[in-house]
Every structure is written in C-alpha cells, then in structure tokens.
C-alpha cells in the first residue's frame, strides 16, 4: 500500500520534509518511542523512512468535502477532512482533467466514472479539490 505510492521527489521541498522528519523524530524520542541511547546512524535511517512516507502520503491524500448546495452556487462545498486510500491511490493516476470522481460513504471511498472510459484508457482522479469547481488549466 503506502510504501508503493508515487513520491514526486522532483516536485517537493526536500529540506522541508527532512526538517519535519527530524522534528517528528525528536517528538517520538521525547515520548520514549525510542531509547535514549539510539545511535546517530539509526536516527538517520528513521529520518529517511519518515521522509519517504511523507513524500508518499502528501501527494496522494484526498480532500473530503461536504456539498453545501445553494441555488447561487450549486458546487459550493467545505473541506471537512483528508483521507489516504493507498489501495486506490496506488492503482489510479492523478489528472487535472480526470475521468472519475469520488464520493464517500462513511470511511469508504467510491470511485465513479464521470464519463464513458474507453478500453485501455487510463483511469484518473483529480489531484485536489472538487471536479466541479476546478478549472482545467489549474
């Protein structure tokens, strides 16, 4: 699942990820998740693993929104949470012009075709936001 997700290393600020990973490691040490005597080499390996998982999670999370339909703005919505669905994200690519959309029933994400998808055509999801209010150029 999570380990196999695309990381997009070329598009991320590695310094920010490394700094965040170091801070998280410090918190974990202060909370006694690791012994005080952990070797520096082991700490560096942990920072690499944490950084790797941040790089996998952040570009693969989904915004979970609640539709707030009004006559003036039928696509109005509020983001209420984010979710990570590694079994979905590892099989579908992201696109700014997706051919699917998702709906949620409790903790379950359901992917629905937004149009007819031709045999052999890649199935794509929207990176972030909501299909109805995201401009194609974005």
């Amino acid at each position: 699942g999570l380990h196999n997700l695309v990381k997009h290393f070329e598009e991320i600020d590695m310094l920010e990820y490394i700094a965040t990973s170091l801070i998280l490691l410090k918190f974990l040490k202060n909370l006694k998740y690791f012994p005080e005597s952990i070797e520096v080499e082991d700490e560096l390996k942990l920072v690499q693993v944490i950084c790797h998982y941040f790089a996998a999670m952040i570009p693969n999370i989904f915004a979970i929104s609640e539709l707030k339909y009004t006559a003036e703005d039928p696509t109005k919505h509020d983001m209420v949470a984010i979710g990570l669905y590694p079994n979905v994200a590892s099989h579908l690519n992201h696109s700014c012009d997706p051919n699917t959309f998702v709906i949620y029933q409790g903790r379950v994400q359901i992917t629905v075709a937004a149009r007819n998808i031709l045999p052999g055509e890649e199935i794509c999801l929207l990176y972030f936001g909501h299909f109805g209010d995201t401009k194609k150029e974005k």
Side-chain angles (χ1 to χ4, degrees):
L2 188 60
H3 186 72
N4 296 322
L5 296 177
V6 174
K7 295 2 170 244
H8 300 286
F9 285 116
E10 68 281 355
E11 299 173 13
I12 60 176
D13 181 352
M14 285 303 293
L15 185 59
E16 180 182 334
Y17 279 44
I18 292 168
T20 303
S21 298
L22 285 167
I23 291 168
L24 182 58
L25 180 65
K26 178 125 177 99
F27 284 141
L28 293 172
K29 281 179 68 177
N30 286 342
L31 293 170
K32 308 286 189 237
Y33 278 88
F34 306 110
E36 296 280 334
S37 61
I38 188 170
E39 298 289 327
V40 172
E41 186 176 302
D42 291 333
E43 282 187 356
L44 290 175
K45 287 178 186 174
L46 285 168
V47 167
Q48 283 179 314
V49 169
I50 293 168
C51 193
H52 178 89
Y53 280 98
F54 276 146
M57 288 174 24
I58 292 171
N60 287 290
I61 58 176
F62 291 87
I64 300 173
S65 300
E66 181 177 40
L67 192 57
K68 300 285 188 172
Y69 176 87
T70 65
E72 299 82 40
D73 187 0
T75 63
K76 181 174 174 33
H77 63 277
D78 291 333
M79 189 168 84
V80 295
I82 58 172
L84 179 64
Y85 301 88
N87 290 336
V88 174
S90 65
H91 296 291
L92 303 178
N93 200 2
H94 295 274
S95 172
C96 292
D97 187 19
N99 52 18
T100 67
F101 62 93
V102 296
I103 57 173
Y104 300 92
Q105 285 190 329
R107 297 171 52 111
V108 176
Q109 179 190 49
I110 301 167
T111 303
V112 180
R115 60 172 174 76
N116 286 336
I117 300 172
L118 301 174
E121 183 180 356
E122 183 175 37
I123 299 173
C124 300
L125 295 167
L126 186 63
Y127 264 111
F128 183 78
H130 204 276
F131 183 73
D133 69 350
T134 302
K135 294 186 182 339
K136 190 172 181 178
E137 297 79 30
K138 210 174 184 185

